[in-house]
Amino acid sequence: MLDFSAYDTRNYRTVDVATGYDGWSATYEDSVLDAMDLALLERLPHPDWAGVRRVADLGCGTGRTAAWLRARGVTGDIDGVDLSPGMLARAKERGAHTTLAEGDVRTSGLEGGGYDLVVSSLIDEHLPDLAPFYAEARRLVRPGGTFLLASYHPQFAMVTGMPTHYTDGSGESVAITTHVHLVSHQVRAALDAGWALADMVEGVVDDTWVAAKPKWERYRGHPVSAAYAWRAV
């Protein structure tokens, strides 16, 4: 992990993860583009969706990822875990999960060894150490299981100095505790936990991004997010 404060150019007031996502939950769907995560997950190799019986959705948020899985043809159980009651309430309204529980993605409380797929989107920048996260994902899957992870790109955080943040009801920009993990940090944590890399893709700031965020024109061509497909070994 690198200290984000070395790159921070915004100096927003910073809150912890649960507080931040509770505050963001009402507007989260309006501010996160599918290009950040779901479009990248779509490009990764994946299991036969119809054969996926059980999914662990770590950091399930408002249920965007679970809804994406349902749209791909997953009819089995999807168990979601998240720290934020506000986000879990939104996920419950969406109805894509089989179960939802408040908890830490590093110690999810879910049954070990029973999941075909673990999926996680845009949460790892909030973890000071990736090792427990990858170890928990590995604990959850059956032999040969898959872990799909979408992640905020470290290069974008470093170049822009922009933490994960939202705008609260008063109009203030509020940062959520952010850490910078290099790609090598992801790979090392995964290998140590018993994962093999099947593929990785990156998304860059393009026309889609600039149309939604015109001020990002100066970042055109920079990687903004990444997604990894891991196989249990």
Side-chain angles (χ1 to χ4, degrees):
M1 180 195 71
L2 300 176
D3 187 349
F4 177 74
S5 65
Y7 308 100
D8 189 1
T9 60
R10 305 300 180 93
N11 299 307
Y12 298 147
R13 177 171 65 90
T14 301
V15 297
D16 64 79
V17 175
T19 300
Y21 280 96
D22 277 348
W24 197 2
S25 59
T27 58
Y28 186 83
E29 296 282 342
D30 300 324
S31 51
V32 176
L33 273 64
D34 288 354
M36 177 68 86
D37 56 345
L38 301 182
L40 297 189
L41 293 177
E42 194 78 58
R43 292 165 53 192
L44 291 171
H46 50 72
D48 172 18
W49 295 125
V52 173
R53 296 162 298 167
R54 297 186 70 192
V55 180
D57 185 2
L58 300 183
C60 64
T62 61
R64 289 174 63 252
T65 307
W68 174 78
L69 289 169
R70 295 299 188 198
R72 305 280 79 72
V74 174
T75 59
D77 292 343
I78 303 179
D79 299 322
V81 175
D82 202 280
L83 272 180
S84 163
M87 298 292 269
L88 287 167
R90 297 283 172 170
K92 184 176 181 180
E93 291 173 0
R94 178 171 251 135
H97 291 92
T98 307
T99 68
L100 290 165
E102 185 178 337
D104 192 309
V105 299
R106 297 163 293 188
T107 53
S108 69
L110 297 175
E111 177 188 0
Y115 290 91
D116 304 293
L117 172 66
V118 174
V119 65
S120 192
S121 182
L122 306 179
I123 65 160
D124 56 292
E125 77 267 24
H126 301 305
L127 302 174
D129 181 4
L130 293 175
F133 173 52
Y134 274 98
E136 177 66 357
R138 182 62 184 85
R139 183 188 73 82
L140 292 174
V141 295
R142 61 168 175 74
T146 300
F147 179 25
L148 300 180
L149 170 67
S151 178
Y152 188 41
H153 203 291
Q155 195 265 357
F156 199 70
M158 296 160 80
V159 166
T160 65
M162 182 168 56
T164 298
H165 66 282
Y166 67 101
T167 303
D168 70 10
S170 71
E172 179 189 6
S173 294
V174 181
I176 302 173
T177 303
T178 299
H179 304 286
V180 178
H181 300 291
L182 298 179
V183 173
S184 60
H185 298 159
Q186 302 277 1
V187 172
R188 175 46 54 200
L191 294 177
D192 287 348
W195 293 105
L197 184 63
D199 200 1
M200 175 192 174
V201 296
E202 293 165 292
V204 301
V205 177
D206 56 14
D207 289 342
T208 297
W209 279 106
V210 173
K213 299 177 181 290
K215 292 182 179 179
W216 283 23
E217 176 62 49
R218 64 186 182 275
Y219 302 125
R220 184 182 288 273
H222 285 274
V224 62
S225 54
Y228 307 81
W230 303 98
R231 298 276 189 261
V233 294

